[in-house]
Structures are given as C-alpha cells and as structure tokens.
Amino acid sequence: MLTPQWLDQLRTRTTLSALIGRSTRLTKAGREFKACCPFHNEKSPSFTVNDEKGFYHCFGCGAHGDAIRWMTDHQGLSFMDAVKELAAEAGMDVPAPDPRTAKAAEKRDTLHDVMAAAQGWFVQNLSAPGGEAARAYLATRGFDAHTLQRFGFGFAPDGRQAMKEALGKFPEAMLIEAGLRIEVENRDPYDRFRGRLMLPIEDARGRVIAFGGRILTKEKTDAPKYLNSPDTPLFDKGRTLYNLHRAAPAARQSGRMVVVEGYMDVVAMAAAGIGECVAPLGTALTEQQIELLWRHVEMPILCFDGDSAGQRAAMRAVTRALPLLRPAHSLRIVRLPEGLDPDDLIKQRGARAMEEVLGAAKSLIEVLWEVERDAQPLHTPEDKAGLKARLMAHVDAIQNSDIASLYRRELQDRYSEFAFPKRQSRWQQSGGGGNGFHRDQQRGGQQWGGQQRGNGRWQPQPESTPESLERLRRAAAGGARDALSAAVLAGLIHWPAQIRRHAEALARTPGLDPRFGLLLDCCQSNEAVETGRLATILVENGLEIPGTAEYSGLRFGFLNTETGADQAAEDLAQAVDLLVERPILDEALAQATARFESELSEEAFADQQRLLKRKLEFDSRLRQMATRQAASS
C-alpha cells in the first residue's frame, strides 16, 4: 500500500524543477523558477516552480500541484503510472499491492473529489439540527440567504471522528493528505475542524482546495479563533487569495481590487455590494500574493483595521512590496476608523462610508513616511537622524533603480521639510543673521555682507569699505577649508538648476560660507542662471570660485563631468542634507560639552560621549558617501 510517508519520500527525492524543465523552459528567479504556464496560453510568465516546497503554481489559471500531479495533469499518466515512473528515476521500489489494493488505486478519487465531498457535508450540517449555533452566529452578522449560499457556508460538528464516518468511501490517507484529518504519532487520526463555522477556500477555477473555520464557543480559549487548512498538494496559503475567482471578474469592471484582513471581511464587503475584494489566509501579504494582485490591477487597495495591529500589518505589506515595485505598479493603503473593521463600518455608517474610505486611499510612499515619522518621539538630533536612516534603509530595498531614485528624492524632501521647518530665514530678515545673509528691504534690493544687487548686476554699496570686503573674503577663506561646503558650492555652480530646490534648507542653516548667499540670491528670479554667470558674480564680488584643492579629500559623484543630470541631482541632495545636518549636530555637541563642564555629572558625560560618537559616525558617513558616489561615477 502506498502510504503518505512513502509518497512524501518519493516527492523529496524528485527535483521538481528538473522534472518540469524537461518539457517547459524555466528561468531562475530568486529561490524559484518562472515560465509561461504550460496549462494555458499566455505571453508573460505566471507559472512558478518552488523546489523547497515541492509545488508548482500558476497565478493565471490556478494550476497547482506536486511532482505526481505534474505527471498526471501534464503528462497524461494515471496515478500509479506516474508513481512508478518517478520511483524508477528516484531508485525506489514501489510497494507491491494486493489485487484488491491495485483495483482501488485504479479507481482512486482525486483530492478535488475529497474536498468537494467535504464541502457538501459541511453545507448539509449547517441546515441540520446540530448546526443551530452556526446559524445563530450567522444571524448576528446579518448575511442574507443569497450571500450564505454564494460563499458556501457550512458547519463542522464537534466530533473527532465525524468526518471519517461521513466520508468513509475515501481512504484515511487521502483525508490526511487533503488536510481534513490530523495524524499524530502514537495516536489515532482525528478531524481537524470541529465545532466550527466553515467556509470553503477555492482556487482560480472555483474548485475547493482548502477550508477556513471560525470557532463558535467563546468559552473555548485554548483553540484559535480562526483555523485554516494546512498546505497540501492543492493548497499553498502563501500563494492563494481568498475569493479571487469571484473578485477578478468584478475587478475588471471596477478597475480596482481591495484586500482586507480576513475572509469574513470579504463576505461583509460583498454583501454590501463591493465584490472585488480578497483576503490573505492567516498570514501577512506575501510577495507571491502581491504579484498575483498585480496581474489583475496595477494599484490594489489594502484595507486594514484602524488599530495598532492594522498599522503593523500595513507596514509589513509596505516592506514586502518595496523590493517588488516596478513602473506603474504599487499599492494604495487605507486605514479604517479606530476600533472598526469593514463589517462594523458598513453596519454603522453604510456602504457609502466604506466607499469614501476606499476613495481616500494613500500612496505607499505616504504611508511609509507617516508610519516611520510617528514610530517614536523625535525630540533630539539623534532621533531625527534615526528617522532618516530608517527611511533610507527602505529606499535601499527597492530594486528598480529609477523608482529608488525617485523615492529617495521624495523622502529626503519630506524629511528636510519636517526636520528643518520653514520659517523666516536669517537671510530674509533685516539686520542680517548668523551666516551674514540679509535683505535690505528699505532699498528695494538684496544685500549680503554690504553688497547690493540691482537690475541684474551686483554693485558694491557706497557704505562698503575695503575693510568690509576683506572681512567677507576672510570668511570665505575660512569656509574654503571646509571640504564639504566647498564641494556643495562647486556642485551648485556646476548644476545651477538645483539651487532653487535647496534654497530654503541652505538659507535656514547657520554659519555657511558667504558664497552661498550669492547663489541663493540668483534663485530669487524665475530666469535660468548658467554656470558662467554664477562664476562671474563670485569674481565681481571679490570671492573665489571653488577649486578642486578645496574638496580634494571628497570626490563626490556630482563633481564628475561624466555624471548624468539625474544621478548628480540625487548625489548633490545627499551632500546638502549632510551640510544642513552638521551644524545641528555641532550645536548639540557644544551644548552637551558645556553642560558637562558645568555639572560634571555622569548623565552629562554620557550625553557628550553619545554625541561625540554621532559626530564620528557623521564624518565616516560623509567619506563613505563621497567614495561610493565617486566610484559609481
């Protein structure tokens, strides 16, 4: 007799990709193989083979199975012929059955027949006297008869051997293989689903491949509230979306696909008229499920409960999706009001309220920013730097270089606006500021360090003296010793279109080289400014153009003439972020040092040492970034 243990050993000894690769061209894709599905015509590959799990699966037509099923469904062999051929290749002897067992094997029903019979039995039990508790629960949910029939609700009685007795025509091994019975060492097998409201889980063709059961007794706290079938030759929960076979046609009509957290949410949404709804099965949304969603719509909507668990689920989905992002394919995310699930919201406020929530779905990058921003308090420079590090770590996970570049730019801009909020800048205040920039509003012109720009040309003011110009030159010379500052100056001069983008951040930064003031003034008009004109302005005001000697230790990519405009803009933005971050860190370190010198306490010393370490990390990050960007250029 072919026991489940012997069949498992046969599958283990068979390399599925090698078997399928004989007749289907497979391409390696991470831990899996991909191909155009051999079971239906398609132009892009949706068929995957996973040797670790021993399953193949098609996201298009739902074909799914192991090595034996491949031989029966694709090669056209009978079950026993498939087993014999695989066993011969694996060097295994097929147990010799007696005549009665051989005859039974020839007439053997498939697992689909087992699952269909189980579904019929569950439905029958729901209307029987023993299903009263399940019917009472369904009455509290308010589902009409059409919904109950459409989704195939049933009931599993509370008996350890009830299914075996009801489906006695099927071998015990088949019930175990289908996940309907549990086999435990040194114990008799028993029914997996007992005393539960049952829902069938169907594949893309509408065939029952698994079940989900909800417990009905609140007092029974030693069992999970929801229980799903285990992975079987028919069912892989990480590759299956509940209700997809019904939601896909509805999605083609509406142009959207909604993902909720559980199958009872799917039923509630469908009852309210939102039929394009699916759910994962007891796990966080997997990479395979995201790809499956994208085969139907480009921007599926993930709908999560409005509690902390829902927020964690949203973030897990975001991190799963980031490496997979490709042009025009992403996720949109909504969070329900606090304490409400889809069924609660629909019952309290109606289907229109749910439509309004779905209509306000946020983009993936918006959710990523909000979750990380609100993840922990942001009181200190270290806290804010930690936020930036987390955001950039997410960006690094994106495999598509174009999307990663756009995400980096967007998140950096959001971070700069948050960490350095817009306010009246020193260079916009009459009387000057810490970096020597100010606007003379009385004269109707713009003035930095005693120079006036009028009619597009810079002219020394009458009150400007040789001494004031010399002070400006000395300040510039001090800045020239700052390699990062000089490199950013040179980068802005070489890429003048980037000045306007960084004007606000630079204007809010104290202690910068005065040459930045001249560049910032040039961005006040809408006219394009060329590199040559910027160089002329510096020279006319007695200031030097940044030379390579000033930043010889930092070979940034944006200083390389062969770097493209988009890459240079990205590299320059990172350098500006460092330039803006540095004075904040320096100020915090100075305050910590002064506090330690006055208090001489362990706490003050710890703060100073932490900031010193942060300063060393900053310097290291600066050089690593410059080296990396120069190498990539």
PDB file of all heavy atoms in Angstrom, residues 400-431:
ATOM      1  N   ASN A 400      14.260  48.406  -8.289  1.00  0.00           N
ATOM      2  CA  ASN A 400      14.198  49.216  -9.508  1.00  0.00           C
ATOM      3  C   ASN A 400      14.919  50.535  -9.261  1.00  0.00           C
ATOM      4  O   ASN A 400      14.522  51.322  -8.401  1.00  0.00           O
ATOM      5  CB  ASN A 400      12.732  49.456  -9.896  1.00  0.00           C
ATOM      6  CG  ASN A 400      12.589  50.205 -11.208  1.00  0.00           C
ATOM      7  OD1 ASN A 400      12.837  51.408 -11.283  1.00  0.00           O
ATOM      8  ND2 ASN A 400      12.182  49.493 -12.248  1.00  0.00           N
ATOM      9  N   SER A 401      15.980  50.792 -10.008  1.00  0.00           N
ATOM     10  CA  SER A 401      16.834  51.951  -9.735  1.00  0.00           C
ATOM     11  C   SER A 401      16.103  53.271  -9.962  1.00  0.00           C
ATOM     12  O   SER A 401      16.305  54.232  -9.209  1.00  0.00           O
ATOM     13  CB  SER A 401      18.084  51.896 -10.624  1.00  0.00           C
ATOM     14  OG  SER A 401      17.724  51.859 -12.002  1.00  0.00           O
ATOM     15  N   ASP A 402      15.247  53.350 -10.975  1.00  0.00           N
ATOM     16  CA  ASP A 402      14.523  54.595 -11.225  1.00  0.00           C
ATOM     17  C   ASP A 402      13.556  54.903 -10.092  1.00  0.00           C
ATOM     18  O   ASP A 402      13.475  56.044  -9.618  1.00  0.00           O
ATOM     19  CB  ASP A 402      13.756  54.496 -12.551  1.00  0.00           C
ATOM     20  CG  ASP A 402      14.675  54.463 -13.758  1.00  0.00           C
ATOM     21  OD1 ASP A 402      15.817  54.955 -13.636  1.00  0.00           O
ATOM     22  OD2 ASP A 402      14.262  53.943 -14.814  1.00  0.00           O
ATOM     23  N   ILE A 403      12.822  53.896  -9.647  1.00  0.00           N
ATOM     24  CA  ILE A 403      11.876  54.111  -8.554  1.00  0.00           C
ATOM     25  C   ILE A 403      12.620  54.423  -7.257  1.00  0.00           C
ATOM     26  O   ILE A 403      12.212  55.284  -6.487  1.00  0.00           O
ATOM     27  CB  ILE A 403      10.970  52.883  -8.390  1.00  0.00           C
ATOM     28  CG1 ILE A 403      10.101  52.701  -9.639  1.00  0.00           C
ATOM     29  CG2 ILE A 403      10.090  53.010  -7.146  1.00  0.00           C
ATOM     30  CD1 ILE A 403       9.224  51.478  -9.606  1.00  0.00           C
ATOM     31  N   ALA A 404      13.743  53.727  -7.016  1.00  0.00           N
ATOM     32  CA  ALA A 404      14.533  54.004  -5.810  1.00  0.00           C
ATOM     33  C   ALA A 404      15.016  55.445  -5.792  1.00  0.00           C
ATOM     34  O   ALA A 404      14.980  56.118  -4.749  1.00  0.00           O
ATOM     35  CB  ALA A 404      15.718  53.042  -5.730  1.00  0.00           C
ATOM     36  N   SER A 405      15.458  55.937  -6.941  1.00  0.00           N
ATOM     37  CA  SER A 405      15.933  57.318  -7.016  1.00  0.00           C
ATOM     38  C   SER A 405      14.820  58.305  -6.713  1.00  0.00           C
ATOM     39  O   SER A 405      15.012  59.274  -5.966  1.00  0.00           O
ATOM     40  CB  SER A 405      16.516  57.589  -8.413  1.00  0.00           C
ATOM     41  OG  SER A 405      16.921  58.934  -8.538  1.00  0.00           O
ATOM     42  N   LEU A 406      13.640  58.064  -7.262  1.00  0.00           N
ATOM     43  CA  LEU A 406      12.510  58.959  -7.019  1.00  0.00           C
ATOM     44  C   LEU A 406      12.050  58.890  -5.565  1.00  0.00           C
ATOM     45  O   LEU A 406      11.704  59.914  -4.964  1.00  0.00           O
ATOM     46  CB  LEU A 406      11.370  58.599  -7.960  1.00  0.00           C
ATOM     47  CG  LEU A 406      11.642  58.866  -9.452  1.00  0.00           C
ATOM     48  CD1 LEU A 406      10.547  58.250 -10.309  1.00  0.00           C
ATOM     49  CD2 LEU A 406      11.757  60.355  -9.723  1.00  0.00           C
ATOM     50  N   TYR A 407      12.034  57.699  -4.983  1.00  0.00           N
ATOM     51  CA  TYR A 407      11.673  57.556  -3.564  1.00  0.00           C
ATOM     52  C   TYR A 407      12.680  58.290  -2.687  1.00  0.00           C
ATOM     53  O   TYR A 407      12.308  58.957  -1.708  1.00  0.00           O
ATOM     54  CB  TYR A 407      11.628  56.083  -3.175  1.00  0.00           C
ATOM     55  CG  TYR A 407      10.244  55.501  -3.182  1.00  0.00           C
ATOM     56  CD1 TYR A 407       9.518  55.395  -4.364  1.00  0.00           C
ATOM     57  CD2 TYR A 407       9.645  55.043  -2.013  1.00  0.00           C
ATOM     58  CE1 TYR A 407       8.238  54.856  -4.385  1.00  0.00           C
ATOM     59  CE2 TYR A 407       8.363  54.497  -2.024  1.00  0.00           C
ATOM     60  CZ  TYR A 407       7.669  54.416  -3.214  1.00  0.00           C
ATOM     61  OH  TYR A 407       6.410  53.887  -3.233  1.00  0.00           O
ATOM     62  N   ARG A 408      13.963  58.153  -2.999  1.00  0.00           N
ATOM     63  CA  ARG A 408      14.992  58.817  -2.189  1.00  0.00           C
ATOM     64  C   ARG A 408      14.801  60.332  -2.220  1.00  0.00           C
ATOM     65  O   ARG A 408      14.852  61.003  -1.179  1.00  0.00           O
ATOM     66  CB  ARG A 408      16.386  58.438  -2.690  1.00  0.00           C
ATOM     67  CG  ARG A 408      17.517  59.111  -1.885  1.00  0.00           C
ATOM     68  CD  ARG A 408      18.872  58.618  -2.309  1.00  0.00           C
ATOM     69  NE  ARG A 408      19.115  57.255  -1.854  1.00  0.00           N
ATOM     70  CZ  ARG A 408      19.099  56.185  -2.642  1.00  0.00           C
ATOM     71  NH1 ARG A 408      18.869  56.328  -3.945  1.00  0.00           N
ATOM     72  NH2 ARG A 408      19.309  54.989  -2.156  1.00  0.00           N
ATOM     73  N   ARG A 409      14.565  60.856  -3.392  1.00  0.00           N
ATOM     74  CA  ARG A 409      14.391  62.314  -3.507  1.00  0.00           C
ATOM     75  C   ARG A 409      13.155  62.775  -2.756  1.00  0.00           C
ATOM     76  O   ARG A 409      13.196  63.772  -2.017  1.00  0.00           O
ATOM     77  CB  ARG A 409      14.292  62.705  -4.981  1.00  0.00           C
ATOM     78  CG  ARG A 409      14.094  64.205  -5.206  1.00  0.00           C
ATOM     79  CD  ARG A 409      14.055  64.527  -6.687  1.00  0.00           C
ATOM     80  NE  ARG A 409      15.300  64.170  -7.341  1.00  0.00           N
ATOM     81  CZ  ARG A 409      15.530  64.391  -8.643  1.00  0.00           C
ATOM     82  NH1 ARG A 409      14.615  64.943  -9.388  1.00  0.00           N
ATOM     83  NH2 ARG A 409      16.682  64.037  -9.179  1.00  0.00           N
ATOM     84  N   GLU A 410      12.035  62.068  -2.929  1.00  0.00           N
ATOM     85  CA  GLU A 410      10.790  62.453  -2.273  1.00  0.00           C
ATOM     86  C   GLU A 410      10.915  62.380  -0.754  1.00  0.00           C
ATOM     87  O   GLU A 410      10.498  63.297  -0.031  1.00  0.00           O
ATOM     88  CB  GLU A 410       9.655  61.546  -2.758  1.00  0.00           C
ATOM     89  CG  GLU A 410       8.338  61.728  -2.028  1.00  0.00           C
ATOM     90  CD  GLU A 410       7.620  63.003  -2.410  1.00  0.00           C
ATOM     91  OE1 GLU A 410       8.024  63.628  -3.423  1.00  0.00           O
ATOM     92  OE2 GLU A 410       6.674  63.383  -1.700  1.00  0.00           O
ATOM     93  N   LEU A 411      11.497  61.297  -0.233  1.00  0.00           N
ATOM     94  CA  LEU A 411      11.610  61.140   1.213  1.00  0.00           C
ATOM     95  C   LEU A 411      12.616  62.119   1.804  1.00  0.00           C
ATOM     96  O   LEU A 411      12.430  62.608   2.928  1.00  0.00           O
ATOM     97  CB  LEU A 411      11.994  59.695   1.549  1.00  0.00           C
ATOM     98  CG  LEU A 411      10.899  58.661   1.289  1.00  0.00           C
ATOM     99  CD1 LEU A 411      11.433  57.249   1.500  1.00  0.00           C
ATOM    100  CD2 LEU A 411       9.692  58.900   2.206  1.00  0.00           C
ATOM    101  N   GLN A 412      13.672  62.419   1.068  1.00  0.00           N
ATOM    102  CA  GLN A 412      14.628  63.414   1.551  1.00  0.00           C
ATOM    103  C   GLN A 412      13.980  64.790   1.638  1.00  0.00           C
ATOM    104  O   GLN A 412      14.211  65.539   2.590  1.00  0.00           O
ATOM    105  CB  GLN A 412      15.857  63.444   0.646  1.00  0.00           C
ATOM    106  CG  GLN A 412      16.790  62.268   0.831  1.00  0.00           C
ATOM    107  CD  GLN A 412      17.950  62.275  -0.138  1.00  0.00           C
ATOM    108  OE1 GLN A 412      17.894  62.924  -1.189  1.00  0.00           O
ATOM    109  NE2 GLN A 412      19.001  61.562   0.188  1.00  0.00           N
ATOM    110  N   ASP A 413      13.161  65.124   0.652  1.00  0.00           N
ATOM    111  CA  ASP A 413      12.472  66.413   0.688  1.00  0.00           C
ATOM    112  C   ASP A 413      11.490  66.468   1.853  1.00  0.00           C
ATOM    113  O   ASP A 413      11.390  67.479   2.548  1.00  0.00           O
ATOM    114  CB  ASP A 413      11.739  66.649  -0.630  1.00  0.00           C
ATOM    115  CG  ASP A 413      12.690  66.952  -1.779  1.00  0.00           C
ATOM    116  OD1 ASP A 413      13.876  67.224  -1.497  1.00  0.00           O
ATOM    117  OD2 ASP A 413      12.265  66.891  -2.950  1.00  0.00           O
ATOM    118  N   ARG A 414      10.764  65.379   2.080  1.00  0.00           N
ATOM    119  CA  ARG A 414       9.831  65.350   3.206  1.00  0.00           C
ATOM    120  C   ARG A 414      10.583  65.453   4.532  1.00  0.00           C
ATOM    121  O   ARG A 414      10.156  66.147   5.456  1.00  0.00           O
ATOM    122  CB  ARG A 414       9.015  64.057   3.179  1.00  0.00           C
ATOM    123  CG  ARG A 414       7.945  63.995   2.085  1.00  0.00           C
ATOM    124  CD  ARG A 414       7.317  62.609   2.061  1.00  0.00           C
ATOM    125  NE  ARG A 414       6.332  62.483   1.006  1.00  0.00           N
ATOM    126  CZ  ARG A 414       5.017  62.586   1.188  1.00  0.00           C
ATOM    127  NH1 ARG A 414       4.547  62.792   2.396  1.00  0.00           N
ATOM    128  NH2 ARG A 414       4.179  62.451   0.173  1.00  0.00           N
ATOM    129  N   TYR A 415      11.713  64.749   4.612  1.00  0.00           N
ATOM    130  CA  TYR A 415      12.496  64.789   5.847  1.00  0.00           C
ATOM    131  C   TYR A 415      13.038  66.191   6.110  1.00  0.00           C
ATOM    132  O   TYR A 415      12.978  66.684   7.239  1.00  0.00           O
ATOM    133  CB  TYR A 415      13.649  63.794   5.755  1.00  0.00           C
ATOM    134  CG  TYR A 415      14.627  63.896   6.913  1.00  0.00           C
ATOM    135  CD1 TYR A 415      14.346  63.316   8.140  1.00  0.00           C
ATOM    136  CD2 TYR A 415      15.818  64.605   6.781  1.00  0.00           C
ATOM    137  CE1 TYR A 415      15.220  63.426   9.205  1.00  0.00           C
ATOM    138  CE2 TYR A 415      16.700  64.716   7.835  1.00  0.00           C
ATOM    139  CZ  TYR A 415      16.406  64.130   9.048  1.00  0.00           C
ATOM    140  OH  TYR A 415      17.271  64.254  10.092  1.00  0.00           O
ATOM    141  N   SER A 416      13.554  66.839   5.084  1.00  0.00           N
ATOM    142  CA  SER A 416      14.106  68.185   5.267  1.00  0.00           C
ATOM    143  C   SER A 416      13.029  69.164   5.701  1.00  0.00           C
ATOM    144  O   SER A 416      13.245  70.001   6.588  1.00  0.00           O
ATOM    145  CB  SER A 416      14.750  68.669   3.959  1.00  0.00           C
ATOM    146  OG  SER A 416      15.854  67.860   3.619  1.00  0.00           O
ATOM    147  N   GLU A 417      11.853  69.054   5.108  1.00  0.00           N
ATOM    148  CA  GLU A 417      10.758  69.945   5.484  1.00  0.00           C
ATOM    149  C   GLU A 417      10.317  69.707   6.922  1.00  0.00           C
ATOM    150  O   GLU A 417       9.946  70.636   7.637  1.00  0.00           O
ATOM    151  CB  GLU A 417       9.583  69.732   4.530  1.00  0.00           C
ATOM    152  CG  GLU A 417       8.420  70.669   4.787  1.00  0.00           C
ATOM    153  CD  GLU A 417       7.297  70.455   3.790  1.00  0.00           C
ATOM    154  OE1 GLU A 417       7.495  69.697   2.820  1.00  0.00           O
ATOM    155  OE2 GLU A 417       6.214  71.045   3.993  1.00  0.00           O
ATOM    156  N   PHE A 418      10.393  68.437   7.361  1.00  0.00           N
ATOM    157  CA  PHE A 418       9.987  68.103   8.726  1.00  0.00           C
ATOM    158  C   PHE A 418      11.069  68.463   9.744  1.00  0.00           C
ATOM    159  O   PHE A 418      10.790  69.056  10.784  1.00  0.00           O
ATOM    160  CB  PHE A 418       9.667  66.612   8.813  1.00  0.00           C
ATOM    161  CG  PHE A 418       9.438  66.124  10.214  1.00  0.00           C
ATOM    162  CD1 PHE A 418       8.254  66.381  10.878  1.00  0.00           C
ATOM    163  CD2 PHE A 418      10.423  65.403  10.884  1.00  0.00           C
ATOM    164  CE1 PHE A 418       8.032  65.939  12.161  1.00  0.00           C
ATOM    165  CE2 PHE A 418      10.211  64.955  12.175  1.00  0.00           C
ATOM    166  CZ  PHE A 418       9.021  65.223  12.819  1.00  0.00           C
ATOM    167  N   ALA A 419      12.314  68.094   9.447  1.00  0.00           N
ATOM    168  CA  ALA A 419      13.395  68.318  10.410  1.00  0.00           C
ATOM    169  C   ALA A 419      13.803  69.779  10.503  1.00  0.00           C
ATOM    170  O   ALA A 419      14.257  70.241  11.544  1.00  0.00           O
ATOM    171  CB  ALA A 419      14.609  67.463  10.030  1.00  0.00           C
ATOM    172  N   PHE A 420      13.640  70.508   9.400  1.00  0.00           N
ATOM    173  CA  PHE A 420      14.006  71.931   9.369  1.00  0.00           C
ATOM    174  C   PHE A 420      12.801  72.727   8.893  1.00  0.00           C
ATOM    175  O   PHE A 420      12.732  73.142   7.733  1.00  0.00           O
ATOM    176  CB  PHE A 420      15.202  72.150   8.440  1.00  0.00           C
ATOM    177  CG  PHE A 420      16.289  71.131   8.626  1.00  0.00           C
ATOM    178  CD1 PHE A 420      16.516  70.155   7.666  1.00  0.00           C
ATOM    179  CD2 PHE A 420      17.068  71.131   9.764  1.00  0.00           C
ATOM    180  CE1 PHE A 420      17.505  69.199   7.834  1.00  0.00           C
ATOM    181  CE2 PHE A 420      18.058  70.189   9.939  1.00  0.00           C
ATOM    182  CZ  PHE A 420      18.277  69.218   8.976  1.00  0.00           C
ATOM    183  N   PRO A 421      11.805  72.914   9.758  1.00  0.00           N
ATOM    184  CA  PRO A 421      10.548  73.537   9.335  1.00  0.00           C
ATOM    185  C   PRO A 421      10.765  74.936   8.790  1.00  0.00           C
ATOM    186  O   PRO A 421      11.645  75.675   9.235  1.00  0.00           O
ATOM    187  CB  PRO A 421       9.721  73.548  10.630  1.00  0.00           C
ATOM    188  CG  PRO A 421      10.712  73.440  11.729  1.00  0.00           C
ATOM    189  CD  PRO A 421      11.832  72.614  11.194  1.00  0.00           C
ATOM    190  N   LYS A 422       9.930  75.264   7.819  1.00  0.00           N
ATOM    191  CA  LYS A 422      10.053  76.559   7.153  1.00  0.00           C
ATOM    192  C   LYS A 422       9.697  77.684   8.114  1.00  0.00           C
ATOM    193  O   LYS A 422       8.684  77.657   8.801  1.00  0.00           O
ATOM    194  CB  LYS A 422       9.116  76.600   5.944  1.00  0.00           C
ATOM    195  CG  LYS A 422       9.259  77.854   5.113  1.00  0.00           C
ATOM    196  CD  LYS A 422       8.371  77.758   3.884  1.00  0.00           C
ATOM    197  CE  LYS A 422       8.520  79.010   3.018  1.00  0.00           C
ATOM    198  NZ  LYS A 422       7.661  78.929   1.810  1.00  0.00           N
ATOM    199  N   ARG A 423      10.530  78.663   8.178  1.00  0.00           N
ATOM    200  CA  ARG A 423      10.271  79.846   8.987  1.00  0.00           C
ATOM    201  C   ARG A 423      11.017  81.013   8.364  1.00  0.00           C
ATOM    202  O   ARG A 423      11.757  80.849   7.404  1.00  0.00           O
ATOM    203  CB  ARG A 423      10.743  79.633  10.438  1.00  0.00           C
ATOM    204  CG  ARG A 423      12.211  79.272  10.571  1.00  0.00           C
ATOM    205  CD  ARG A 423      12.572  79.068  12.044  1.00  0.00           C
ATOM    206  NE  ARG A 423      13.966  78.744  12.208  1.00  0.00           N
ATOM    207  CZ  ARG A 423      14.461  77.514  12.220  1.00  0.00           C
ATOM    208  NH1 ARG A 423      13.629  76.491  12.059  1.00  0.00           N
ATOM    209  NH2 ARG A 423      15.737  77.289  12.378  1.00  0.00           N
ATOM    210  N   GLN A 424      10.830  82.203   8.901  1.00  0.00           N
ATOM    211  CA  GLN A 424      11.510  83.351   8.339  1.00  0.00           C
ATOM    212  C   GLN A 424      13.016  83.176   8.500  1.00  0.00           C
ATOM    213  O   GLN A 424      13.534  83.058   9.600  1.00  0.00           O
ATOM    214  CB  GLN A 424      11.071  84.639   9.039  1.00  0.00           C
ATOM    215  CG  GLN A 424      11.588  85.887   8.320  1.00  0.00           C
ATOM    216  CD  GLN A 424      11.049  87.141   8.941  1.00  0.00           C
ATOM    217  OE1 GLN A 424      10.597  87.112  10.060  1.00  0.00           O
ATOM    218  NE2 GLN A 424      11.108  88.242   8.211  1.00  0.00           N
ATOM    219  N   SER A 425      13.713  83.128   7.371  1.00  0.00           N
ATOM    220  CA  SER A 425      15.126  82.794   7.398  1.00  0.00           C
ATOM    221  C   SER A 425      15.974  83.983   7.774  1.00  0.00           C
ATOM    222  O   SER A 425      15.583  85.142   7.610  1.00  0.00           O
ATOM    223  CB  SER A 425      15.561  82.282   6.020  1.00  0.00           C
ATOM    224  OG  SER A 425      14.731  81.223   5.613  1.00  0.00           O
ATOM    225  N   ARG A 426      17.149  83.706   8.272  1.00  0.00           N
ATOM    226  CA  ARG A 426      18.074  84.775   8.647  1.00  0.00           C
ATOM    227  C   ARG A 426      18.385  85.677   7.456  1.00  0.00           C
ATOM    228  O   ARG A 426      18.523  86.873   7.574  1.00  0.00           O
ATOM    229  CB  ARG A 426      19.368  84.171   9.195  1.00  0.00           C
ATOM    230  CG  ARG A 426      19.221  83.516  10.560  1.00  0.00           C
ATOM    231  CD  ARG A 426      20.582  83.025  11.033  1.00  0.00           C
ATOM    232  NE  ARG A 426      20.540  82.514  12.391  1.00  0.00           N
ATOM    233  CZ  ARG A 426      20.288  81.253  12.690  1.00  0.00           C
ATOM    234  NH1 ARG A 426      20.044  80.406  11.728  1.00  0.00           N
ATOM    235  NH2 ARG A 426      20.268  80.850  13.934  1.00  0.00           N
ATOM    236  N   TRP A 427      18.495  85.058   6.288  1.00  0.00           N
ATOM    237  CA  TRP A 427      18.845  85.871   5.127  1.00  0.00           C
ATOM    238  C   TRP A 427      17.666  86.670   4.612  1.00  0.00           C
ATOM    239  O   TRP A 427      17.792  87.491   3.723  1.00  0.00           O
ATOM    240  CB  TRP A 427      19.404  85.006   4.005  1.00  0.00           C
ATOM    241  CG  TRP A 427      18.470  83.972   3.467  1.00  0.00           C
ATOM    242  CD1 TRP A 427      18.103  82.815   4.039  1.00  0.00           C
ATOM    243  CD2 TRP A 427      17.797  84.026   2.203  1.00  0.00           C
ATOM    244  NE1 TRP A 427      17.234  82.129   3.246  1.00  0.00           N
ATOM    245  CE2 TRP A 427      17.032  82.854   2.100  1.00  0.00           C
ATOM    246  CE3 TRP A 427      17.755  84.942   1.144  1.00  0.00           C
ATOM    247  CZ2 TRP A 427      16.253  82.566   0.997  1.00  0.00           C
ATOM    248  CZ3 TRP A 427      16.976  84.656   0.051  1.00  0.00           C
ATOM    249  CH2 TRP A 427      16.237  83.481  -0.022  1.00  0.00           C
ATOM    250  N   GLN A 428      16.454  86.419   5.192  1.00  0.00           N
ATOM    251  CA  GLN A 428      15.275  87.187   4.814  1.00  0.00           C
ATOM    252  C   GLN A 428      14.957  88.262   5.852  1.00  0.00           C
ATOM    253  O   GLN A 428      14.009  89.008   5.697  1.00  0.00           O
ATOM    254  CB  GLN A 428      14.069  86.257   4.673  1.00  0.00           C
ATOM    255  CG  GLN A 428      14.215  85.285   3.522  1.00  0.00           C
ATOM    256  CD  GLN A 428      13.072  84.302   3.482  1.00  0.00           C
ATOM    257  OE1 GLN A 428      12.574  83.898   4.527  1.00  0.00           O
ATOM    258  NE2 GLN A 428      12.653  83.927   2.296  1.00  0.00           N
ATOM    259  N   GLN A 429      15.730  88.338   6.921  1.00  0.00           N
ATOM    260  CA  GLN A 429      15.433  89.280   7.991  1.00  0.00           C
ATOM    261  C   GLN A 429      16.333  90.500   7.882  1.00  0.00           C
ATOM    262  O   GLN A 429      17.529  90.383   7.674  1.00  0.00           O
ATOM    263  CB  GLN A 429      15.653  88.628   9.363  1.00  0.00           C
ATOM    264  CG  GLN A 429      14.719  87.440   9.601  1.00  0.00           C
ATOM    265  CD  GLN A 429      15.096  86.694  10.846  1.00  0.00           C
ATOM    266  OE1 GLN A 429      16.115  86.989  11.447  1.00  0.00           O
ATOM    267  NE2 GLN A 429      14.283  85.724  11.212  1.00  0.00           N
ATOM    268  N   SER A 430      15.728  91.649   8.012  1.00  0.00           N
ATOM    269  CA  SER A 430      16.518  92.870   8.011  1.00  0.00           C
ATOM    270  C   SER A 430      17.455  92.868   9.203  1.00  0.00           C
ATOM    271  O   SER A 430      17.063  92.582  10.312  1.00  0.00           O
ATOM    272  CB  SER A 430      15.584  94.090   8.074  1.00  0.00           C
ATOM    273  OG  SER A 430      16.326  95.283   8.135  1.00  0.00           O
ATOM    274  N   GLY A 431      18.687  93.195   8.962  1.00  0.00           N
ATOM    275  CA  GLY A 431      19.650  93.216  10.048  1.00  0.00           C
ATOM    276  C   GLY A 431      20.615  92.076  10.006  1.00  0.00           C
ATOM    277  O   GLY A 431      21.559  92.053  10.780  1.00  0.00           O
TER     278      GLY A 431
END
